[in-house]
Amino acid sequence: MTEIFGVPVSLLLGQLLLGLLNGTTYAMLSLGLAVIFGLMDEVNFAHGAFFMMGAMFAWMGGQYFHLSFWWMLLLAPLLVGLVGLLVERLMLRRLRGMDPIYGLLLTFGLALLIEGLFRTFFGVSGSPYNPPELLSGVLNLGFMYLPLYYVFAMVASVVVCFGTWLLIERTKLGSYLRAGTENPSLVQAFGINFPLLVMLTFAFGSALAGLAGVLSAPIVQVSPLMGSNLIIVVFAIVVIGGMGSVMGAIVSGLALGVIEALAKVVYAPISSTVVFILMAVVLTVRPAGLFGKEK
Amino acid sequence: MKFRHVALAAVLTLGFATAAQAQVKGPVKIGFITDMSGVYSSLDGPGGTAAIKMAIHDFGGSVLGRKIELVTFDHQSKADLAAAKAKEFFSQDGVDMLIGGTNSGAMLAIEPLAAQYKKPFIVIGAGASTIVGKQCNGYTSLYAYNTTALARVTAGAVIKHGGRSWYFLTADYAFGKALEVDATKVVEADGGKVLGHVMAPLGASNFSSYMLQAQASGADVLALANAGGDAANSIKQATQFGVTKKMKLAGLLLFITDIHSVGLPAAQGLYLTAPWYWNLNAESRAWSKRFYAQMNAMPSFSQAGDYSAALSYLKAVKAAGTTDGAKVMAELHKMKVNDMFIHNGSMRPSGLMIHDMYLMQVKTPAESKEPWDYYNVVQTVPGNEAFGPAAAYGCPLDK
């Protein structure tokens, strides 16, 4: 299993492509986390639960209201964003100025609660969620057959990631955000409604997780546990990229997906731990992460 | 404070009193431990519970003048949970016999407890042959099927139809490994070759990277040594990723509920082995219709097996005139079983129930005349031929 040169090129290319796809999911999730952390210094442990809710909402929309994938692609992130908004407004805001550990505990508790609720109603078994008719075809790439939906999910995630980056780095709203990260009280002194900004940012980060959930739904089984399986990896990616760094989150998300895929080809058993090995290495060499600034 | 102590003492005493009474005159209790909510829940789970209740109802609701009761537990495919609950069932709840559902890992963990508490333990949903191998104990029965029979019948048929080189996609736990080992033996004995395997965790849900590995192996056959939701997902994704364009799929353990969730367009032509099919004969059809009325799905063979196991146990209790584990087991070993589920059944000393197995082929969408009409019965394989010689299992009781 360890030979590198014995691996057929088609297998390598195929795995890399799938790795890149996983990478876009990672990127979108770590992006949401990074945006929230950047502005609020808040580690949102409920992020995995928001991801799961996005997927479950998509499934529920189809199951109970016969809403198509496209409708749910729009509605599910909005709903998850709304949940995020309420969480910030009603709970997290009360913890501002306190030790971040309180926020961490709150969101962790919320994650357990949300997952528990969904488990009670839907069990732990996955339900299949089919891709829309339009994207149910298969693409023949020569070295592999790739379901059309995978291409769509990959492109959509990349567009959203870089759109977010542009929003934060290149617009006025983004500049408020970045200023708020540096010095909240000064920003407020300039007449910007900072609490509103924080609330919307948290909602936006949550919506990103929800969107990642909807996009993942047709690829993996929709299940109440899908978030908790993924979130630990995503946290490691955020640490590797640098807490709060938007570009760091996107790049390390994509890179880690590819590295995982390579590991699968070279030595399969290590593919699920390679992220954590890298995290340990990065923490020793650059404690602030690859793209993070020392504070 | 004092009042609380008194109250507590009163409650405890009352509790013990009723427990003691239960041992003398209470109901005959059947336990059922299976996956009620995970990847294997649709093929057994709540449907299995319904089937056992049907058996209790059909038996008249009581035996030896005692009411028959059913207690169930969701092991969530966790072996430690399964074993802990089985222990509680046997030692505290007065459960007289246990029907074991899906997940071989969980069932192997329960098995020693059955011997320790001397209670009959009939395994239906799980199929690792090792259950009646070296660790057989006289109280455990593997009743519906096992990995050896699946491998012998299905692998034999696929090789006969030209699949010479094999690649395995294996569920990474006791059952998957047992199935792969058994199938490898058959493939090699028949002159075929195994080119490699890839292990996927239970409930992996995304099999795409495994599919690429299977494709790269260049084998004729992709053998799915997994089950339930995992098997259904692998078949779907094998079609999506074009695996089926060059390779033949061999589903080593497929339940009708899996075929239902995959759909005939993707599953057509697959060979599979099963001990039972709802549309096998008039008797099975009549029973399945009753089941359908309750569950809104046709029964899988494990659900039908749950029914038959409960019924056989109750018959044995009646014949033995007691619920004493050893005596009931002796009766079960003596019995010839022929019911809605088992045809020409008799139990080996190891606890393995030997009975006819069926080689099926999944129908094409055009052949299917009604909902759930999925299989053509290709061949009836007599029990001894399907399950193979006793010596191969290595159970000391067989000698």
Side-chain angles (χ1 to χ4, degrees):
Chain A
M1 284 295 256
T2 46
E3 82 264 15
I4 299 172
F5 298 108
V7 177
V9 182
S10 64
L11 175 61
L12 193 67
L13 283 176
Q15 293 286 23
L16 284 181
L17 208 57
L18 289 179
L20 208 58
L21 173 78
N22 281 339
T24 54
T25 309
Y26 290 158
M28 209 144 66
L29 280 173
S30 48
L31 180 63
L33 271 183
V35 169
I36 291 170
F37 183 83
L39 196 67
M40 307 169 66
D41 271 337
E42 195 67 74
V43 180
N44 178 20
F45 261 89
H47 213 61
F50 288 158
F51 168 78
M52 175 272 286
M53 274 202 285
M56 289 296 296
F57 284 159
W59 176 82
M60 286 156 77
Q63 194 77 8
Y64 303 124
F65 304 103
H66 303 288
L67 289 171
S68 74
F69 170 81
W70 303 108
W71 273 110
M72 291 324 289
L73 191 63
L74 182 74
L75 286 179
L78 284 180
L79 281 172
V80 177
L82 186 69
V83 173
L85 193 122
L86 291 176
V87 166
E88 201 286 331
R89 182 67 190 84
L90 300 177
M91 295 181 229
L92 270 176
R93 181 169 297 184
R94 292 163 197 277
L95 302 178
R96 263 196 102 62
M98 291 167 93
D99 194 314
I101 193 85
Y102 288 99
L104 190 150
L105 286 174
L106 174 76
T107 50
F108 186 59
L110 270 178
L112 292 180
L113 204 71
I114 294 171
E115 268 182 19
L117 271 178
F118 275 86
R119 259 182 80 159
T120 311
F121 287 110
F122 301 100
V124 292
S125 72
S127 311
Y129 185 81
N130 291 326
E133 201 61 42
L134 183 67
L135 297 172
S136 58
V138 175
L139 213 60
N140 187 352
L141 299 178
F143 59 91
M144 73 179 291
Y145 292 91
L146 189 66
L148 215 50
Y149 181 79
Y150 283 57
V151 182
F152 167 77
M154 212 173 333
V155 172
S157 311
V158 171
V159 167
V160 169
C161 282
F162 285 94
T164 307
W165 179 78
L166 278 176
L167 181 74
I168 292 172
E169 297 292 327
R170 295 282 182 269
T171 64
K172 187 131 194 191
L173 184 66
S175 69
Y176 292 160
L177 272 177
R178 277 176 291 136
T181 316
E182 295 289 329
N183 193 334
S185 41
L186 201 61
V187 171
Q188 212 153 5
F190 277 108
I192 291 161
N193 188 346
F194 189 67
L196 180 72
L197 201 61
V198 167
M199 186 168 81
L200 290 180
T201 306
F202 194 85
F204 178 70
S206 314
L208 273 182
L211 182 62
V214 185
L215 285 173
S216 299
I219 295 174
V220 298
Q221 293 250 348
V222 176
S223 99
L225 297 184
M226 63 193 286
S228 47
N229 295 340
L230 202 61
I231 199 65
I232 302 172
V233 176
V234 173
F235 271 115
I237 289 169
V238 172
V239 171
I240 292 173
M243 301 289 286
S245 160
V246 171
M247 203 34 147
I250 298 175
V251 172
S252 51
L254 289 174
L256 259 302
V258 172
I259 290 173
E260 251 187 17
L262 277 179
K264 233 170 224 161
V265 180
V266 179
Y267 182 63
I270 209 171
S271 66
S272 51
T273 30
V274 70
V275 176
F276 303 104
I277 298 172
L278 274 174
M279 179 178 86
V281 173
V282 167
L283 280 179
T284 359
V285 184
R286 273 184 70 99
L290 293 178
F291 292 75
K293 287 184 221 113
E294 304 274 354
K295 279 198 178 167
Chain B
M1 215 38 195
K2 198 139 199 197
F3 170 75
R4 237 167 76 190
H5 281 156
V6 174
L8 190 66
V11 169
L12 283 175
T13 328
L14 279 173
F16 279 125
T18 43
Q21 217 174 23
Q23 276 168 7
V24 186
K25 281 190 126 173
V28 173
K29 276 193 185 174
I30 296 177
F32 179 44
I33 295 184
T34 193
D35 175 1
M36 291 283 182
S37 55
V39 269
Y40 294 156
S41 58
S42 64
L43 60 92
D44 197 31
T49 306
I52 297 172
K53 282 191 181 147
M54 283 166 75
I56 294 172
H57 174 263
D58 289 357
F59 198 78
S62 67
V63 64
L64 309 178
R66 293 163 62 186
K67 235 179 126 258
I68 306 163
E69 240 180 57
L70 174 65
V71 284
T72 65
F73 179 67
D74 179 5
H75 65 41
Q76 301 168 26
S77 279
K78 290 181 181 138
D80 54 334
L81 272 187
K85 193 59 176 191
K87 193 167 183 161
E88 202 181 304
F89 270 177
F90 290 147
S91 64
Q92 292 169 29
D93 299 344
V95 165
D96 296 292
M97 75 85 70
L98 190 60
I99 295 178
T102 53
N103 196 308
S104 298
M107 296 309 129
L108 284 162
I110 295 175
E111 188 171 10
L113 295 168
Q116 187 189 334
Y117 291 99
K118 301 194 171 14
K119 306 279 188 186
F121 174 41
I122 305 184
V123 181
I124 307 294
S129 295
T130 39
I131 292 170
V132 286
K134 281 189 198 74
Q135 67 158 306
C136 67
N137 57 30
Y139 286 92
T140 305
S141 167
L142 193 55
Y143 188 87
Y145 75 107
N146 69 13
T147 50
T148 308
L150 296 175
R152 287 172 67 95
V153 180
T154 311
V158 172
I159 287 201
K160 213 162 68 190
H161 289 86
R164 318 283 323 162
S165 62
W166 287 53
Y167 189 85
F168 284 93
L169 171 58
T170 305
D172 196 0
Y173 75 105
F175 154 77
K177 289 174 189 175
L179 194 46
E180 186 186 328
V181 167
D182 287 333
T184 301
K185 275 186 213 154
V186 177
V187 171
E188 284 171 352
D190 289 356
K193 242 188 355 202
V194 175
L195 299 183
H197 76 159
V198 58
M199 310 284 265
L202 182 62
S205 81
N206 186 356
F207 290 91
S208 51
S209 75
Y210 306 115
M211 289 304 152
L212 294 183
Q213 259 159 303
Q215 256 166 335
S217 71
D220 303 330
V221 178
L222 172 59
L224 306 174
N226 54 16
D230 283 352
N233 277 331
S234 332
I235 294 172
K236 273 188 220 164
Q237 289 175 16
T239 320
Q240 279 182 353
F241 279 86
V243 175
T244 42
K245 288 193 167 68
K246 286 206 186 112
M247 295 172 91
K248 244 186 247 183
L249 284 185
L252 291 176
L253 174 54
L254 290 172
F255 293 89
I256 195 150
T257 38
D258 306 332
I259 304 295
H260 186 70
S261 101
V262 173
L264 290 184
Q268 59 180 307
L270 273 172
Y271 285 105
L272 60 99
T273 304
W276 184 83
Y277 168 44
W278 71 269
N279 206 359
L280 210 51
N281 52 43
E283 218 184 345
S284 64
R285 271 192 294 275
W287 186 82
S288 302
K289 236 168 127 180
R290 286 171 55 204
F291 181 92
Y292 189 91
Q294 284 183 47
M295 301 304 297
N296 207 24
M298 278 300 177
S300 72
F301 72 69
S302 60
Q303 287 154 344
D306 292 330
Y307 171 87
S308 168
L311 212 55
S312 292
Y313 169 76
L314 292 171
K315 282 179 192 160
V317 168
K318 195 174 176 189
T322 169
T323 52
D324 177 83
K327 288 180 185 142
V328 175
M329 278 317 287
E331 205 58 50
L332 277 170
H333 277 286
K334 248 182 0 205
M335 269 163 54
K336 291 273 170 268
V337 183
N338 260 309
D339 63 13
M340 178 280 294
F341 175 74
I342 294 232
H343 306 128
N344 307 318
S346 63
M347 204 180 279
R348 281 189 187 155
S350 68
L352 179 62
M353 178 61 84
I354 303 293
H355 54 99
D356 293 352
M357 296 289 280
Y358 300 90
L359 176 66
M360 321 269 197
Q361 189 171 24
V362 178
K363 287 185 172 179
T364 62
E367 284 174 306
S368 175
K369 296 278 173 282
E370 53 180 319
W372 296 88
D373 174 26
Y374 294 154
Y375 298 161
N376 284 317
V377 178
V378 179
Q379 192 193 345
T380 304
V381 186
N384 273 316
E385 195 183 308
F387 288 94
Y393 290 87
C395 167
L397 298 172
D398 270 335
K399 279 159 200 163

